[in-house]
Every structure is written in structure tokens, then in C-alpha cells.
């Protein structure tokens, strides 16, 4: 019965060897602290790594990191913060499947879209648009390379005209950078823009 004090006499004893302990420990699931450490090793900040390790989305996070090659921090923030925030705003994020999220993250990782535009794209996708429709509708296509240089030249000329040619100095460059970031923040990389301005 439940109050029995002595070992079962009819069952042979099991000898616990080092090999048996190693076999058991190798099949144990990953512990919480190990998961946090592994996520931190992927580049997540300590708090974000802890939050992700606690989340039911941790498996999806790892799969999306592998499939999309997007920055792990971006994937974690998208799953834990962006989707939650949009849901609180009444957006139907539950209509966005893993395939759509994968496509959006791939667009960022592949340079088609800036990560700052990702929440906007996801919001549009929650409204029933495809990723390409979202990019077109909200003007999210990344501007870089030659196109960015042309944009800088065009905006610099407009700024010079507005300031009667006084935009050549350092103040003019800072003003141009500020103006372009305000206007194209979802489409340009700040470091690349600063380099293009000179």
C-alpha cells in the first residue's frame, strides 16, 4: 500500500552506472537557464532572451531565424512585441500565418525592405493585404545604392533652393540628413544615408 516502508522485494535492483546517468542526462530536455544562455548567444539582450525562453513562441522563433536568416533580435521583437502591440490596437494579427511572417522577415533580411518598415507591413497584412501589396501601398520598398544617391542630390538641390544656396555647409548636411530621415525613415538605412550625403 501507500504506507509501505521497504523497497519492493519482487523487483530486481537496478544498478546506476555512470553510463546510465550520461544516457539519461543526454535525453533530458533543455533547461530554462540553458535556453536563455543559448538565446543570448544568438545575440538577444538578456531581458529579451529571458522573455523568449519563457514564451510559447520560442520554437517558432528558432524556426524563423533559421528559415529567414533575419537578425534574431528582429525576429524576437516581431513575435513578442510587434504582434502583441498590433493585437492590442485591434489588428487581426491572428490571420497572419507563419508563412506570411517568414516572407516579411525574408524581405528585410534580403534588403527589399527596412526593418523599421516591418511593423507597418505586418499591420497591412493583418488587414488582408499581401506583403507586396503592403510594400506598394505604404511605400516601404528600400531605397539604396544609386537610387539613394539620386534622391540625396534631388533633395539637396531643393534644400539649397529653399535656403538660397546656403545648404552646402555642415549645418546644411545635418539638415538634409534630418529632412530625409523624417521623409524616408521606413525606406532608408541611416548609416547608408549619412554616407551618401557625405
Amino acid at each position: 500500500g501507500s504506507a509501505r516502508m521497504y523497497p519492493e522485494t519482487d523487483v530486481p535492483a537496478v544498478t546506476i552506472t555512470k553510463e546510465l546517468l550520461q544516457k539519461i542526462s543526454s535525453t533530458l530536455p533543455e533547461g530554462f537557464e540553458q535556453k536563455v544562455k543559448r538565446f543570448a548567444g544568438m545575440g538577444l539582450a538578456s531581458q529579451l532572451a529571458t522573455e523568449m525562453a519563457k514564451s510559447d513562441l520560442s520554437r517558432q522563433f528558432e524556426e524563423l531565424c533559421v528559415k529567414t536568416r533575419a537578425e534574431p533580435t528582429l525576429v524576437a521583437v516581431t513575435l513578442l512585441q510587434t504582434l502583441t502591440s498590433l493585437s492590442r490596437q485591434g489588428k487581426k494579427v491572428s490571420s497572419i500565418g507563419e508563412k506570411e511572417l517568414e516572407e516579411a522577415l525574408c524581405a528585410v533580411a534580403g534588403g527589399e525592405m527596412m526593418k523599421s518598415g516591418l511593423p507597418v507591413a505586418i499591420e497591412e497584412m493583418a488587414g488582408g493585404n499581401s506583403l507586396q501589396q503592403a510594400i506598394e501601398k505604404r511605400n516601404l520598398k528600400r531605397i539604396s545604392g544609386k537610387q539613394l544617391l539620386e534622391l540625396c542630390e534631388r533633395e539637396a538641390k531643393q534644400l539649397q533652393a529653399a535656403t538660397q544656396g546656403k545648404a552646402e555647409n555642415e549645418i546644411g548636411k545635418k539638415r538634409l540628413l534630418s529632412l530625409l530621415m523624417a521623409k524616408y525613415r521606413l525606406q532608408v538605412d541611416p548609416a547608408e544615408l549619412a554616407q551618401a550625403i557625405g
Side-chain angles (χ1 to χ4, degrees):
S2 60
R4 191 167 180 171
M5 294 172 53
Y6 303 102
E8 180 60 67
T9 54
D10 300 334
V11 177
V14 176
T15 306
I16 301 191
T17 63
K18 280 186 179 180
E19 291 78 23
L20 179 62
L21 287 174
Q22 285 174 347
K23 185 179 176 183
I24 292 169
S25 64
S26 69
T27 58
L28 288 174
E30 184 179 35
F32 176 74
E33 292 299 325
Q34 291 171 307
K35 194 177 259 192
V36 170
K37 191 175 179 180
R38 189 163 55 79
F39 288 166
M42 291 170 71
L44 299 189
S46 177
Q47 186 177 343
L48 191 58
T50 302
E51 199 178 336
M52 183 50 78
K54 287 178 183 175
S55 173
D56 293 338
L57 299 169
S58 61
R59 185 189 56 77
Q60 186 181 12
F61 160 72
E62 292 188 80
E63 286 175 2
L64 285 170
C65 284
V66 172
K67 288 178 182 176
T68 66
R69 300 193 183 278
E71 292 176 17
T73 298
L74 177 65
V75 178
V77 167
T78 300
L79 291 173
L80 296 174
Q81 297 171 13
T82 304
L83 293 175
T84 303
S85 174
L86 289 171
S87 180
R88 286 179 183 153
Q89 293 170 35
K91 309 299 178 192
K92 295 180 181 177
V93 293
S94 58
S95 66
I96 301 172
E98 192 166 334
K99 193 173 183 178
E100 287 83 9
L101 270 179
E102 187 181 325
E103 186 184 7
L105 288 163
C106 279
V108 175
E112 183 184 353
M113 185 172 67
M114 292 299 303
K115 60 183 174 185
S116 56
L118 185 60
V120 180
I122 290 172
E123 181 180 351
E124 286 296 326
M125 291 164 77
N129 290 313
S130 69
L131 176 64
Q132 290 310 313
Q133 288 170 331
I135 289 172
E136 287 171 29
K137 183 180 175 185
R138 299 296 289 271
N139 207 16
L140 300 173
K141 189 157 180 67
R142 183 176 179 167
I143 300 171
S144 63
K146 187 180 176 185
Q147 192 183 2
L148 182 60
L149 290 171
E150 289 169 358
L151 175 71
C152 290
E153 285 174 25
R154 188 171 64 245
E155 294 283 351
K157 284 177 185 174
Q158 289 176 5
L159 182 60
Q160 284 176 343
T163 58
Q164 290 135 11
K166 295 177 184 172
E168 282 296 325
N169 59 26
E170 206 57 42
I171 293 169
K173 286 181 181 181
K174 285 180 184 174
R175 189 169 171 191
L176 179 62
L177 178 64
S178 176
L179 178 91
L180 289 172
M181 278 309 299
K183 213 169 175 181
Y184 301 99
R185 69 176 186 82
L186 299 179
Q187 294 177 276
V188 298
D189 177 80
E192 191 181 358
L193 179 60
Q195 192 176 3
I197 290 171

